[in-house]
Structure formats: structure tokens, C-alpha cells
Amino acid sequence: MIDADLFARELDEALKGRREIQPLTKTHGEFDLAAAYDVQARGIELRKRRGEKIVGYKMGLTSEAKRRQMSLGAPIYGVLTDVMRVSELVRVADGVHPKIEPEIAFVTARELHGKVTRDEAFAALQSVAPALEILDSRFAGFKYFSLTDVVADNCSSWRFAIGPLLPPRAVNGLQIRMSVDGKVVQEADSNAISGHPLDSLVQLVAMLPHPLPAGSIVLAGAATVAEPLRPGVEISLDVESLGSMRVRAT
Ligand code: OOG
Ligand code: MG
């Protein structure tokens, strides 16, 4: 048995102090995925006690590119809170080693739970949007950690920005382009996300131990690998038929 509260506090102190720590599995030994989600949930409780509100969830490692970048094998989920949401500006100095990645976001209109089909997931949508996720890991060098470490660390969640919200429309087979200072650095088809971005939502709902509330923001997972975020750069994202957005790093 692990001390899930202790692990959650260690991660939370690292987050607040902008400090890198060694992977939990290195310091404390291996633990299983159920224990990792327990640590994640306790970390979210600590944030809620500081007044943060859950606004949604993110899926991670839903693309082959990300699984290869992180050398980790299976989709995972993390929790998004209101303080993680930014509109356009991200202060790099507030983090440790942030990285940015192109995503698609959903907002749900109805509660979803258990096993749902892709069509049911689509019918429950309120809006879709391009999105940028800015990850930051609490672990040293943002590397060489296991799936359980990442899940315990709320899947490296740190900041996210949502582009213009649109009424539900097809999100599969769309060209995705992320640029840094006007130069394209990452490109992919949106089907790189779970084979079909809506399947990320289907998987999330199946994995969550509780219903996904109406009004939730859901990040479908990155279509490409993440790029380091350096102060002074402007990141733009263009998603075919969903439009464009940008984030500026200060
Ligand atoms: C884990 C989070 C992965 C995604 O979109 O695949 C993720 C990590 O890369 O540290 O957010
Ligand atoms: Mg992501």
C-alpha cells in the first residue's frame, strides 16, 4: 500500500514551489494505475481546498506520436481546473519546463457516463474548438517516468487555452498546424488523435469512475509531439474548418 496523501502532497509542494522532484516510482517504488489515479484525485482535492474548481478533463497519450515521445503506452486522463485556463498569455516563469501541444477541445451539453458510442458522444456536444495545452511536469527533466508517475502528476496538466467555440461539427480528418513565430513546427491529421478525436471523449467517459458532468471541457489529447515553450514566442494553431487561435509566452 502506498501513502497516496503523502505522494499528492509531494507533487503539490513541487507544483507550488516550481521545483522538480524525482519520479515517485524512483523514490517510493512501483505502484499500480489505480493507486496513481488515487494520488491524482487527492492532488485535485488539495487544489479544491485552495478554491480551484474542476472545469473538465483531458485525455493524454491518445496519439502514437505522443506515446512515442514519452515512451509510454496507453491513454490516460487528468483533471482540468479553472486556474489552469488562460486566454492568450502564458508566463513561462510560473512553470518549470513547460511544453505546448495542439489539441481539439469539446464542451459537453449533457451528462455522459459509461459505455457510449461515437454518435452518442457527438450528440451530447455543445461546442468544439481548437485548443492548445501547455504541459509542465513536476518530474526532473520532464522525462524517464512511468505511466503511473504521469497519472499521479495529473498527466502533466498545467495550463490550457481554448480557441473560438463553434457549434458541433465534424472533427475527424482535419489538417492541424501548430506554428512558432509564424513557422510551422508540427502538422498532423486530426485522426492522429485516437483514430478519431471523438473516440477520446468515448474513452474518457468509459474510464471515469463517475459521470462526466454537462458543461465539461474535454481536451482530446495532442495530435503531435509537444514543443518546448520559451518566453517571447507566439504559438499559433490552425485547425481546418475549426479556425485559428494563438498563445503568447512571456
Ligand atoms: C503526459 C500528458 C499527455 C497528451 O495530450 O497526450 C498529453 C505528458 O506528455 O507529460 O497531455
Ligand atoms: Mg495534452
Side-chain angles (χ1 to χ4, degrees):
M1 271 299 278
I2 61 156
D3 188 342
D5 272 324
L6 172 75
F7 289 15
R9 280 200 309 275
E10 281 180 12
L11 288 165
D12 197 55
E13 291 303 319
L15 169 72
K16 287 188 299 187
R18 297 194 303 103
R19 262 188 310 104
E20 292 186 334
I21 60 172
Q22 288 305 309
L24 297 170
T25 50
K26 202 166 158 188
T27 311
H28 301 285
E30 298 292 329
F31 50 97
D32 66 16
L33 208 51
Y37 278 110
D38 186 25
V39 175
Q40 182 190 107
R42 288 166 198 253
I44 296 301
E45 281 309 313
L46 295 175
R47 286 170 168 270
K48 280 164 73 177
R49 272 188 235 155
R50 294 200 285 276
E52 295 187 34
K53 296 193 173 44
I54 295 176
V55 294
Y57 297 84
K58 57 159 283 181
M59 283 297 283
L61 308 179
T62 54
S63 70
E64 194 47 46
K66 281 288 302 189
R67 287 192 288 268
R68 235 181 295 119
Q69 182 183 36
M70 306 313 290
S71 307
L72 295 175
I76 48 181
Y77 70 86
V79 181
L80 302 174
T81 75
D82 55 346
V83 308
M84 297 179 191
R85 188 167 179 180
V86 296
S87 45
E88 205 181 311
L89 294 183
V90 179
R91 254 172 59 93
V92 175
D94 289 343
V96 179
H97 34 216
K99 296 198 273 189
I100 190 160
E101 54 187 23
E103 306 230 0
I104 287 176
F106 302 114
V107 181
T108 58
R110 289 208 295 275
E111 182 180 284
L112 283 166
H113 55 90
K115 232 175 114 55
V116 299
T117 64
R118 189 189 288 168
D119 288 346
E120 284 163 348
F122 184 77
L125 293 182
Q126 181 157 64
S127 10
V128 300
L132 285 164
E133 180 173 26
I134 303 105
L135 300 168
D136 199 13
S137 173
R138 270 46 75 178
F139 301 127
F142 209 138
K143 60 183 176 193
Y144 306 125
F145 41 81
S146 68
L147 202 59
T148 47
D149 282 312
V150 184
V151 167
D153 189 27
N154 195 26
C155 301
S156 313
S157 302
W158 188 58
R159 300 282 187 268
F160 67 95
I162 308 282
L165 291 169
L166 298 163
R169 64 197 58 202
V171 290
N172 57 312
L174 306 180
Q175 173 78 240
I176 295 179
R177 265 205 200 99
M178 185 170 79
S179 307
V180 177
D181 291 335
K183 186 171 162 284
V184 176
V185 290
Q186 292 293 340
E187 252 182 307
D189 184 293
S190 65
N191 285 3
I193 306 167
S194 296
H196 188 306
L198 269 173
D199 288 355
S200 289
L201 178 56
V202 170
Q203 286 180 48
L204 170 69
V205 171
M207 286 169 87
L208 277 181
H210 53 76
L212 176 72
S216 294
I217 295 170
V218 174
L219 296 182
T224 73
V225 297
E227 291 281 333
L229 189 68
R230 305 192 202 290
V233 299
E234 183 179 273
I235 313 294
S236 53
L237 173 66
D238 297 284
V239 182
E240 181 185 354
S241 84
L242 299 191
S244 305
M245 64 179 297
R246 73 183 66 183
V247 154
R248 278 196 301 124
T250 63

